[in-house]
Amino acid sequence: MAEHTMRQQILEQFLADPEVILSGEDLSQRLGISRAAVWKHIRQLRTLGYQIDAVPSRGYRLTTQADLLLPAAVQSGLETISIGHRVEYFAETDSTNLRAMELAEQGAQEGTVVIADCQNGGRGRMGRRWSSPAGVNLYTSIILRPDMAPIQAAQLTFLSAVATARAFEAVAGIEVQVKWPNDILVNGCKIAGLLNELSAETEGVHHVVLGIGANLNMSREQFPDDLRRPATSVLLETGQTVSRVAFAQELYRQLDRLYPLYQQQGFVPIRLAWEALFYLQGHKVEVDCGADVFTGMVAGLADDGALLLDLEQGGQQVIYAGDVSVAD
Ligand code: BTN
């Protein structure tokens, strides 16, 4: 079994009952590993930031530490209608989107959220990797079960972009902008990315997973050297750290407000909120779609989330996927 899976299992023994004290013997029996191995994993968990106290002659206790995204901390005072009623936490996993898709297949209710402290296979758009070091950022995926046609599902990307933008403003006090289709930027540098995944048939959507990665307290050295585009974090922008728990809570509250609004009033209020944050609205851009590159003025969003481009040579191009860059 992978080392991180065993650490996760140890953590789960504690998370199942926040008051529990477990001896080395208890853990070794429950997990089928030696006491020496238990001790090694406890030590590793401590280096990852988990405060695991030794209680004399009784065992170990997990003390919920400030700013670990543990379910109890995230749910405390959350007061949402549906988002975050169930929180699945992973100290380390490959991708929260993959975990959320699995949970959704198993019937997890709408609003279930998955959080990882660290991802070893974080997924970005177009098959790219999403850098996901431990202890600094938010990596989360939210399960929704909207009653909609698959073609409408792209609208939810804009909903999660607006929620993420508002969380940055409310918790970190920074004004962000959005870039079509799914980037959150500050001064032209990417501070968050969104990756929605869908399970659907022609008749309708089974479930959607909103994947959100927000760079919060990541230092310059923690960014990979080979990033194609400049990236940033709250720490780099403001010089100050931000509470990951407060950010996650605000994000879930925003989603909890915007999702019912979308269900009641449709895409229009979401589109307007998104366009107000869209820094390329009315600007000349170049869109690289792989096979084709289009140049034109951004006219806005279509109802299916496509980008509308008024082409230089006349006519309008509807763009479903591509990389946008400023051309004026
Ligand atoms: C992008 O801009 O390319 C999208 C990045 C999305 C990253 C988030 S982190 C949480 C969730 N789990 C993943 O594997 N990816 C998304």
Side-chain angles (χ1 to χ4, degrees):
M1 182 181 288
E3 296 272 292
H4 72 82
T5 317
M6 190 49 78
R7 288 200 295 270
Q8 177 66 25
Q9 288 200 10
I10 292 182
L11 211 49
E12 275 164 12
Q13 300 295 319
F14 288 109
L15 292 176
D17 173 3
E19 302 298 314
V20 76
I21 296 174
L22 293 167
S23 67
E25 186 57 36
D26 292 334
L27 287 166
S28 117
Q29 276 178 10
R30 289 184 189 193
L31 302 172
I33 55 174
S34 68
R35 287 180 64 172
V38 168
W39 171 232
K40 183 186 83 180
H41 291 300
I42 296 271
R43 252 191 351 246
Q44 288 170 345
L45 282 166
R46 283 176 175 159
T47 60
L48 288 171
Y50 297 88
Q51 190 178 330
I52 299 175
D53 296 333
V55 184
S57 52
R58 292 182 61 197
Y60 302 105
R61 181 175 49 205
L62 175 71
T63 306
T64 306
Q65 265 219 313
D67 217 28
L68 275 178
L69 291 154
L70 299 175
V74 171
Q75 288 177 316
S76 163
L78 186 61
E79 291 176 359
T80 50
I81 295 163
S82 76
I83 308 293
H85 273 209
R86 175 175 169 195
V87 176
E88 286 294 324
Y89 174 81
F90 294 88
E92 182 174 350
T93 190
D94 45 3
S95 154
T96 55
N97 269 26
L98 291 178
R99 295 288 78 70
M101 285 300 270
E102 267 169 23
L103 283 167
E105 298 292 342
Q106 292 158 13
Q109 75 195 72
E110 178 160 84
T112 299
V113 312
V114 177
I115 301 175
D117 192 48
C118 147
Q119 296 182 119
N120 53 40
R123 287 143 62 108
R125 210 163 65 87
M126 298 167 109
R128 296 182 191 132
R129 276 178 356 96
W130 185 256
S131 169
S132 311
V136 284
N137 294 333
L138 176 66
Y139 318 111
T140 187
S141 301
I142 299 102
I143 298 173
L144 298 180
R145 297 188 176 280
D147 183 10
M148 58 162 55
I151 184 116
Q152 289 175 292
Q155 297 177 345
L156 295 171
T157 304
F158 303 95
L159 188 152
S160 63
V162 174
T164 307
R166 289 184 178 171
F168 275 109
E169 282 165 13
V171 179
I174 42 181
E175 267 189 36
V176 300
Q177 295 170 318
V178 294
K179 182 174 166 213
W180 185 87
N182 61 350
D183 291 353
I184 311 289
L185 307 180
V186 180
N187 301 321
C189 295
K190 185 153 165 171
I191 198 162
L194 317 168
L195 182 69
N196 291 359
E197 302 198 48
L198 174 72
S199 162
E201 307 176 33
T202 340
E203 303 87 73
V205 166
H206 298 306
H207 50 262
V208 177
V209 163
L210 308 182
I212 301 170
N215 297 339
L216 302 178
N217 302 321
M218 202 170 173
S219 63
R220 173 110 25 234
E221 303 73 56
Q222 287 174 305
F223 283 98
D225 297 331
D226 58 346
L227 270 189
R228 288 173 72 246
R229 289 177 202 286
T232 191
S233 67
V234 171
L235 177 64
L236 293 185
E237 291 302 313
T238 65
Q240 295 191 330
T241 57
V242 69
S243 155
R244 293 192 297 167
V245 170
F247 186 91
Q249 289 185 323
E250 186 59 27
L251 175 65
Y252 300 143
R253 286 190 198 111
Q254 293 292 346
L255 288 169
D256 200 63
R257 258 179 242 144
L258 289 169
Y259 184 50
L261 176 76
Y262 170 75
Q263 287 177 312
Q264 286 150 23
Q265 297 181 27
F267 188 43
V268 175
I270 304 300
R271 179 165 60 73
L272 294 176
W274 188 89
E275 284 176 348
L277 296 163
F278 186 31
Y279 76 122
L280 292 174
Q281 186 79 20
H283 283 262
K284 185 173 166 191
V285 296
E286 192 179 271
V287 188
D288 182 351
C289 302
D292 296 299
V293 178
F294 299 101
T295 307
M297 298 291 244
V298 172
L301 276 186
D303 271 357
D304 57 3
L307 184 69
L308 300 175
L309 209 61
D310 289 335
L311 296 177
E312 285 190 317
Q313 63 270 34
Q316 197 170 66
Q317 183 70 39
V318 182
I319 294 179
Y320 288 97
D323 269 334
V324 182
S325 49
V326 196
D328 51 18

